[in-house]
Amino acid sequence: MDLVPALEEPLQQPLKSVLGPATAKVMAEHLGLHTVGDLLHHYPRRYEERGQLTHLADLPMDEHVTVVAQVADARLHSFASAKAPRGKGQRLEVTITDGSGRLQLVFFGSGVHKPHKDLLPGTRAMFAGKVSVFNRRLQLAHPAYELLRADAEESVETWAGALIPLYPATAKLESWKIGKAIQTVLPHAQEAIDPLPDSLRAGRGLVSLPEALLKIHRPHTKADIDDARARLKWDEAFVLQVALARRRHADAQLPAVPRVPAADGLLTAFDARLPFTLTEGQRKVSGEIFDDLATDHPMHRLLQGEVGSGKTLVALRAMLAVVDAGGQAALLAPTEVLAQQHHRSVVEMMGELAEGGMLGGSERATKVVVLTGSMGTAARRQALLDLVTGEAGIVIGTHALIEDKVKFHDLGLVVVDEQHRFGVEQRDALRSKGKQPPHLLVMTATPIPRTVAMTVFGDLETSVLDQLPAGRSPIASHVVPAADKPHFLARAWERVREEVDNGHQAYVVCPRIGDEEDGKGGRAGKKSAEDEAEKRPPLAVLDIAGRLAEGPLRGLGVEVLHGRMPPDDKDAVMRRFAAGDTDVLVATTVIEVGVNVPNATAMVIMDADRFGVSQLHQLRGRVGRGSAAGLCLLVSEMPEASAARQRLNAVASTLDGFELSRIDLEQRREGDVLGQAQSGARSSLRVLAVIEDEVVIAQAREEAARLVAADPELTTLPGLRTALDALLDEEREQYLEKG
């Protein structure tokens, strides 16, 4: 919730600015704050009590900090320098303390005069600057500061106990300057229109919106802060859930062709071919999907499954059900490698059922075609013809499926694999190719905590596959500390050789291809052990493949695979690896999803700390797909105590993707997670934390569903409509509309 009409006044205007033009400009450019409403919704990150001094011992290096402390000592020194050769250079050194730690402030040249006058021993102030080290001591060079003086009327007790809001700030605009700007516009908070229905607010014991805004920016007690945050969390959760509930309600009104499989058709024949029985989870999820397909409004379902849980099989059965009912199904894959892989595995699973119109094909068969951007003209022309005539019941492709030239005879189902890799427009363009809105099944192998699913995919019904098929083997995962224990890395390559000697294959994954300019990806100018490990460029496929082939893996068949190879070459490499002709595949994350080679049992991930938790889990899922146990080795040069190593230890300790996704979310800014899922829109969440506030989100979802069922147009709630308009800027509205 960013704006309400009374608060839409811009902070910067040609004739009359609410704030000084320079301040307003910095707020717009660096903090994304453009109106009075934006500024009022820029909430404090935390609060300092004037009587409580910050722990200076815990200051983070290289970060902009705001500290409240007392001046212990101030000394002015003269020195000679290039600019002041006669010893007339001046340096002011001020030591501040919080009773437990000390911090040095330093000012130079003409900048010493004002602080020399202001910062007398005993003075209390707020200081802001970047923490650095000089002569092994922490210091702030030329910090900005604000003296904390009690007003004459203010008693000492009130002054000492007052809560000072500290705001998310930038180097160009300190926290207290933001605080002063907010105090300027705070009277406007009284004009804020409350989006929550009175009954909900009363029932939940929540304060009004104007009161919440006053209390969050000018609290008198800690209870004020708690009241304000509780109320503002409800605003964010409820307005978002109402938007999603209205989307679900609107989807339920759309027409769709019910798709019921024939009693003894393609699906029945396919099930009879399967050499195994479906897991209980696969049967349950298939039942949910078939129930949706049989309705006369479009299915909107999210299928999330653990790595290797058999999502592709469930999706294929849904596609066959639609083909059975006379329609066509399209599977949209994010990469050509994955599209080709899906095509191969679907054709393999279907056998003669995929040979519609061909000699030897079953009479119940359909045609399965692949469509990618790199296909030859003749093959492409034939695929397009098969789609428009209805000859092909199933098409598997990349974004090439979305082009205007692609026409369907009767598109009944769209399956989107790895949904987060596609933009809204791409998904929507494919859905618009149906005569009526087709059913939609979105698949992801990235487990999503329940609250994130409710917040981000709240307009989709959710099915979860968390049971692995029988015959899948456990995967042992270990961290290999290459810098601390080089012999561990040597042992890793021995393990790869052992797997190959036993008739298996292995992946080696690197973060970079290696044909870029040298030096990209490195970081300079840092000194810690952690930074030393990060400073060099990430290890590259082309370098590592050569080193392995000439060194520890000499004599084995080593090939490379990366995204910049020509599509035919990529496909040929994957075919050779799938056929067992290649022992070791050195690749980028192009193998992250969907690649299925049951004979591959070992994976070595180089510079594993450069990958996210969920990505490591995805990659690891490429091994252990057959009857032999899987092995995943996470190689890192990061020091044992570093956060990166803790992350790798977490990945090595569990195969539970949902547990890992919680860890991932707790370690990253929520905006990153939500922003990505919101098609690049800025996260609307300020105080709501999707992991911690599970109860609020679940309650808000129930309240929103009840409200929208009774009044979809929100005719009786103008304040809520206003808040929705503010939340759903054009981009976000499109995201919600297009699912």
Side-chain angles (χ1 to χ4, degrees), residues 1-249:
M1 223 197 81
D2 288 327
L3 305 170
V4 285
L7 308 184
E8 283 181 1
E9 191 178 352
L11 296 172
Q12 189 176 15
Q13 300 175 66
L15 299 175
K16 176 180 76 76
S17 284
V18 176
L19 305 174
T23 304
K25 187 167 186 270
V26 172
M27 283 188 170
E29 289 177 1
H30 294 272
L31 295 169
L33 307 176
H34 302 277
T35 67
V36 170
D38 287 345
L39 187 51
L40 285 175
H41 288 289
H42 188 71
Y43 306 134
R45 178 176 282 141
R46 60 191 175 89
Y47 301 83
E48 284 285 1
E49 288 182 64
R50 281 195 176 120
Q52 262 187 348
L53 297 180
T54 308
H55 289 295
L56 295 177
D58 301 331
L59 292 178
M61 278 293 298
D62 284 331
E63 284 193 23
H64 284 279
V65 297
T66 302
V67 296
V68 179
Q70 184 168 322
V71 176
D73 182 47
R75 298 184 185 195
L76 191 63
H77 302 276
S78 297
F79 62 92
S81 70
K83 288 185 179 176
R86 295 182 185 171
K88 292 190 178 176
Q90 289 190 305
R91 181 176 76 251
L92 175 66
E93 291 178 359
V94 179
T95 304
I96 59 173
T97 181
D98 62 358
S100 63
R102 295 167 87 81
L103 178 66
Q104 184 166 292
L105 316 177
V106 60
F107 302 86
F108 292 101
S110 57
V112 304
H113 305 306
K114 190 172 187 308
H116 190 219
K117 191 173 64 182
D118 291 341
L119 301 178
L120 303 174
T123 304
R124 263 189 190 157
M126 282 200 287
F127 302 91
K130 193 173 183 182
V131 183
S132 58
V133 172
F134 182 73
N135 282 345
R136 298 189 186 178
R137 290 170 65 193
L138 291 180
Q139 73 166 25
L140 298 181
H142 281 286
Y145 62 88
E146 175 88 343
L147 302 181
L148 298 178
R149 294 194 181 96
D151 294 337
E153 312 85 65
E154 222 177 4
S155 71
V156 173
E157 289 79 16
T158 310
W159 183 83
L163 292 157
I164 305 163
L166 297 181
Y167 291 91
T170 75
K172 293 186 180 293
L173 198 64
E174 294 84 9
S175 169
W176 59 82
K177 288 186 182 170
I178 295 171
K180 280 182 176 174
I182 286 171
Q183 295 304 323
T184 304
V185 301
L186 201 52
H188 288 283
Q190 297 297 347
E191 302 166 63
I193 301 169
D194 204 317
L196 294 191
D198 292 342
S199 56
L200 189 156
R201 197 154 51 81
R204 301 272 171 192
L206 300 169
V207 301
S208 69
L209 179 57
E211 190 180 340
L213 290 172
L214 288 170
K215 283 184 169 180
I216 198 108
H217 292 299
R218 197 185 278 166
H220 296 295
T221 64
K222 288 181 178 169
D224 282 351
I225 299 168
D226 293 341
D227 286 350
R229 288 179 67 82
R231 163 59 211 252
L232 295 167
K233 281 182 179 186
W234 256 93
D235 274 19
E236 291 181 359
F238 183 69
V239 175
L240 181 55
Q241 291 302 331
V242 167
L244 293 165
R246 290 184 77 203
R247 190 66 259 140
R248 289 195 301 276
H249 183 271

Side-chain angles (χ1 to χ4, degrees), residues 301-315:
R301 189 166 284 279
L302 171 69
L303 171 57
Q304 41 172 331
E306 264 295 7
V307 175
S309 59
K311 290 182 305 302
T312 309
L313 177 61
V314 169

